[in-house]
Amino acid sequence: MRKSSKLLACALVASSIVSFSLPVFADTTQSSPPPTSQIQNSSTGTTTTPADKAAARKQKLQNEILHLQNAEQFQQNLAPIHQLQAQDKQLRDQIKTLRQTIRAQVKTDRQAKNYSALLAALNDMIPTQDDIANAQEAAQTAKADWTQLSTDNKANNSSAVTADLSKIQTDIQNRINVYQKILADLQKINGDLNTSSSTTTPASSSSATSSTT
């Protein structure tokens, strides 16, 4: 009876450990760089000639061309990031679904007193904690890099923006690798929980023996 109580306690722990939460990342970025500063005309009291007005219009058009070129390049740089974000979201959705399945199976195994399956799942949850920590660290790194991108974008620092986008792409790929590892961990845990108990209790053994005699 004491052994069964200990095993049941382990089973109860399983339901709490498996309900860990993964960080949700808000990967957001502007669709285009901030507009370049517009020409500010100052009143000097002098008469503006048609040639001066034409020069001002040409400068304004050149600024707009530069702005559109930067926006186009920014969108091109975002394309691979959007693809990685789609893969990242798919993995997070799979992890969420599998966690729900595991919680339900833990409840089933606990009611069935399938201690061997619950203990196996608990043992496989131990290394998973490191993967969860890696996911949280990846979230912090990505958040800092997105903030830096926003700062450099507002400053219209094109070279820094390019470097930021490259780093963010690496951040998301690293996060995808962590999610793939977590998904594999959960699949193994789910496999543990779906293993039928092969142990036979003394009571059931004696009952089976008496029925055959």
Side-chain angles (χ1 to χ4, degrees):
M1 179 65 68
R2 181 176 300 176
K3 182 177 181 181
S4 297
S5 298
K6 291 182 178 179
L7 292 176
L8 184 57
C10 293
L12 292 173
V13 174
S15 61
S16 60
I17 294 180
V18 79
S19 61
F20 63 83
S21 59
L22 291 174
V24 177
F25 308 96
D27 285 347
T28 57
T29 183
Q30 299 177 2
S31 59
S32 62
T36 53
S37 57
Q38 298 179 351
I39 300 175
Q40 296 180 353
N41 296 323
S42 58
S43 299
T44 59
T46 59
T47 302
T48 303
T49 66
D52 293 335
K53 293 180 179 179
R57 290 195 298 269
K58 287 191 290 185
Q59 182 62 49
K60 183 177 181 180
L61 289 171
Q62 289 174 349
N63 289 341
E64 183 63 21
I65 289 172
L66 179 60
H67 167 66
L68 292 176
Q69 288 175 338
N70 289 339
E72 182 181 23
Q73 183 62 46
F74 191 76
Q75 287 298 321
Q76 292 175 354
N77 292 335
L78 279 178
I81 291 179
H82 288 327
Q83 293 176 355
L84 288 173
Q85 284 177 324
Q87 185 179 356
D88 178 278
K89 183 179 183 303
Q90 183 180 15
L91 284 169
R92 281 190 282 119
D93 290 342
Q94 290 176 347
I95 289 173
K96 180 180 179 180
T97 300
L98 189 53
R99 284 174 53 210
Q100 293 172 346
T101 301
I102 288 175
R103 282 197 295 266
Q105 188 60 43
V106 165
K107 183 178 180 180
T108 299
D109 284 342
R110 187 174 58 198
Q111 291 174 345
K113 299 181 180 181
N114 189 357
Y115 300 130
S116 59
L118 291 168
L119 287 173
L122 275 175
N123 285 324
D124 286 334
M125 286 178 190
I126 295 175
T128 305
Q129 307 313 307
D130 292 332
D131 296 329
I132 297 172
N134 291 336
Q136 292 170 341
E137 291 175 1
Q140 294 174 355
T141 300
K143 182 179 180 181
D145 291 337
W146 280 106
T147 300
Q148 186 61 48
L149 171 64
S150 178
T151 301
D152 293 333
N153 204 9
K154 290 178 181 178
N156 203 25
N157 189 341
S158 58
S159 60
V161 165
T162 300
D164 293 337
L165 289 170
S166 178
K167 190 173 183 186
I168 287 172
Q169 186 172 345
T170 301
D171 291 340
I172 300 176
Q173 183 60 61
N174 291 338
R175 199 166 67 205
I176 286 174
N177 295 338
V178 175
Y179 281 168
Q180 288 173 334
K181 183 67 170 63
I182 291 176
L183 184 61
D185 292 340
L186 293 177
Q187 288 171 341
K188 192 173 189 305
I189 292 170
N190 189 49
D192 294 333
L193 294 170
N194 280 284
T195 301
S196 299
S197 177
S198 59
T199 59
T200 305
T201 60
S204 61
S205 297
S206 59
S207 176
T209 302
S210 61
S211 63
T212 57
T213 56

